[in-house]
Amino acid sequence: MAKHSDSKQVAASARKARARNLRLIRVFVSVIVVAGAFCLGFFVRGDQSMLSALGFTALVGDDTAPGAAEQVNVFNSLSKRVEEVEDLLSEESLDSYDLDQTTAGVLASVADATEDPYLRYYSPSEYAQLEQDGGDDYEGIGVLFGESNGNAYVVDVFDGSPAQAAGVQEGDFVVAIDGDRGRQWSQTEVLAALDREEGASVVVTWRRPETSGSEGGEEFTTALTCTKSTTVNVESTLTDAGVGVITLRQISGNSADLIRSAVEDLESQGAQAYVLDIRDVPGGYLSQAVEIANLFVRNGIIVQIETNSGVTTRQATGEVITDKPLVVLVNENTSAAAEVLAAAVQDNQRASLVGQTTMGKGSVQVVRELSFGGALRYTAAYYLSPQGRSIDGLGVVPDFVVGAEDGGYDNQLALAEETAQSAISV
């Protein structure tokens, strides 16, 4: 029995040895094959015909094509990822989807994922409504609108307007128009929606934040009748001290001409200095802001515009209307093109700024029509001051910071007039 047991152990040991040797041989052969394939790869990597013959068709490409090593794939392209999902749904899924609705949903998600608060997709019907915007002369509800982070808000309520009668106040945000809450209402969209015939009705839901610009707040709804807007865009007056005060409500298509006329009128009355009040001006036409600056700035850069292509500048034309002392009034609602105007006179040392730091809306939005219908609104440029200071998110800081009204007394205007008057004798 002992001999039989010993023979079994010997046989078992022999089998283990053979198995171990066999594994070593296999590993050795595998190493040789891998090494050979690796070398072969270097040898044939430039031989397209050999690669095809070996069946590596995925590696065959055009070496002469520019950017061949940077081809778009699912790892660096949103469109390729969506295309892959779309192919699966069309070829294998038993369900279907509405193309227009899905497009709107996908692009809305893209907009939410970016850091651009103004990026928005408009469906064909929404874009058609935007194109019907009547511009400066439209039937409205008596409200001057601005925009903050893509949301339209009330900058000013005109005296005797339907909005004033309904209790709408400065700082109220638009939540819905005619019950439509399915979007974030921008200034452009609100103006288009309110572009109706005189006498037409509109229901607007507002949000009144507890503090200026804060989230949340009480909502209320108003039923309003559209009327013809007859608000004067530019007003002027001459103080006893010889200071001409010009108030601008918005930078519309003819604002520069109106400012020019106001200065000429005040000059004829003997004005010795000027205060330009652009408080609560919610931007407008950049070209008009540049033209207004040209009325006062004799030489230098008016504004720098930063795009993906680089930075361009707008220069002063030298055709000023007056060299007399100038003070510009600004506040937290001075926005966009109005901030360009403020920065232009400040950086060129043409005027002192009085009031509060401006809104900091130094970006430019464009709306581009899409080939498949609808349009995309996105930020395409940023305004920089003549000295290259960023405006977006920072605003323009006045030379003299002062609060607004105190018990009905306009502290800002009083300081601006005093500053202008003191410069007359300098």
Side-chain angles (χ1 to χ4, degrees):
M1 291 293 292
K3 290 183 179 180
H4 183 68
S5 176
D6 291 341
S7 62
K8 281 186 175 182
Q9 291 179 358
V10 171
S13 298
R15 286 196 299 271
K16 289 180 180 181
R18 286 196 300 271
R20 183 169 57 254
N21 293 336
L22 182 58
R23 285 196 298 271
L24 290 174
I25 293 172
R26 288 174 177 173
V27 169
F28 182 72
V29 172
S30 298
V31 170
I32 293 176
V33 170
V34 170
F38 186 76
C39 296
L40 181 63
F42 274 100
F43 177 75
V44 304
R45 63 184 300 177
D47 192 330
Q48 305 291 344
S49 60
M50 184 175 292
L51 285 172
S52 298
L54 292 174
F56 298 113
T57 55
L59 300 179
V60 177
D62 183 6
D63 285 342
T64 62
E70 299 178 357
Q71 292 182 354
V72 176
N73 55 56
V74 294
F75 296 104
N76 60 20
S77 170
L78 175 62
S79 62
K80 287 294 183 182
R81 295 183 180 186
V82 173
E83 180 182 353
E84 181 178 333
V85 173
E86 186 178 23
D87 288 343
L88 287 174
L89 292 178
S90 62
E91 295 173 3
E92 301 181 18
S93 175
L94 298 178
D95 200 0
S96 61
Y97 57 87
D98 181 270
L99 180 58
D100 291 337
Q101 182 179 359
T102 304
T103 299
V106 169
L107 295 182
S109 297
V110 171
D112 291 340
T114 69
E115 296 181 357
D116 184 355
Y118 302 98
L119 181 62
R120 191 162 309 162
Y121 166 70
Y122 297 115
S123 68
S125 60
E126 291 172 339
Y127 180 52
Q129 186 181 27
L130 287 179
E131 288 190 304
Q132 295 172 3
D133 179 11
D136 299 321
D137 186 22
Y138 71 97
E139 317 297 337
I141 58 175
V143 169
L144 181 62
F145 289 99
E147 185 171 331
S148 175
N149 292 325
N151 294 282
Y153 71 98
V154 178
V155 173
D156 193 14
V157 182
F158 303 148
D159 292 338
S161 66
Q164 185 186 56
V168 178
Q169 299 179 9
E170 294 180 15
D172 290 343
F173 283 82
V174 176
V175 175
I177 296 180
D178 288 334
D180 183 1
R181 289 175 170 266
R183 69 177 83 182
Q184 182 184 28
W185 285 92
S186 67
Q187 180 184 15
T188 303
E189 292 171 293
V190 169
L191 292 178
L194 297 179
D195 184 22
R196 308 183 184 194
E197 295 182 358
E198 187 169 10
S201 298
V202 61
V203 177
V204 183
T205 300
W206 313 84
R207 176 178 62 83
R208 181 165 298 166
E210 296 180 0
T211 58
S212 178
S214 64
E215 298 293 334
E218 179 185 358
E219 290 189 8
F220 64 99
T221 300
T222 58
L224 306 170
T225 301
C226 294
T227 59
K228 184 72 174 180
S229 175
T230 57
T231 303
V232 178
N233 192 26
V234 174
E235 297 176 332
S236 63
T237 184
L238 183 66
T239 70
D240 294 337
V243 177
V245 180
I246 302 173
T247 302
L248 177 65
R249 285 184 175 269
Q250 58 182 322
I251 302 179
S252 56
N254 63 344
S255 291
D257 289 338
L258 294 175
I259 296 292
R260 176 185 292 275
S261 297
V263 172
E264 291 174 346
D265 180 58
L266 290 168
E267 285 279 315
S268 67
Q269 298 180 49
Q272 297 300 308
Y274 293 93
V275 170
L276 177 60
D277 188 352
I278 57 174
R279 291 176 295 179
D280 299 327
V281 174
Y285 293 92
L286 174 64
S287 59
Q288 287 292 302
V290 171
E291 286 191 32
I292 294 172
N294 277 322
L295 296 176
F296 303 100
V297 178
R298 185 168 294 278
N299 54 64
I301 297 173
I302 299 299
V303 63
Q304 299 189 49
I305 304 172
E306 181 183 17
T307 67
N308 284 335
S309 301
V311 178
T312 59
T313 62
R314 302 284 181 89
Q315 298 283 339
T317 62
E319 300 176 357
V320 299
I321 193 172
T322 180
D323 287 313
K324 291 178 179 178
L326 175 68
V327 176
V328 176
L329 269 171
V330 296
N331 66 1
E332 64 276 7
N333 290 325
T334 302
S335 176
E339 295 179 270
V340 169
L341 173 56
V345 296
Q346 185 184 54
D347 274 13
N348 284 289
Q349 299 182 349
R350 177 61 182 88
S352 297
L353 265 56
V354 172
Q356 294 285 325
T357 301
T358 62
M359 179 177 290
K361 201 278 184 182
S363 58
V364 184
Q365 284 70 49
V366 298
V367 178
R368 298 298 188 199
E369 186 174 3
L370 300 171
S371 61
F372 55 85
L376 191 69
R377 181 194 190 209
Y378 58 95
T379 298
Y382 289 100
Y383 297 135
L384 303 176
S385 78
Q387 295 182 6
R389 293 184 290 117
S390 178
I391 295 175
D392 195 63
L394 299 174
V396 181
V397 181
D399 301 288
F400 302 99
V401 178
V402 60
E405 291 187 359
D406 182 9
Y409 183 71
D410 193 337
N411 295 319
Q412 294 172 343
L413 178 58
L415 179 58
E417 292 178 355
E418 180 182 335
T419 303
Q421 182 180 347
S422 65
I424 294 176
S425 58
V426 174

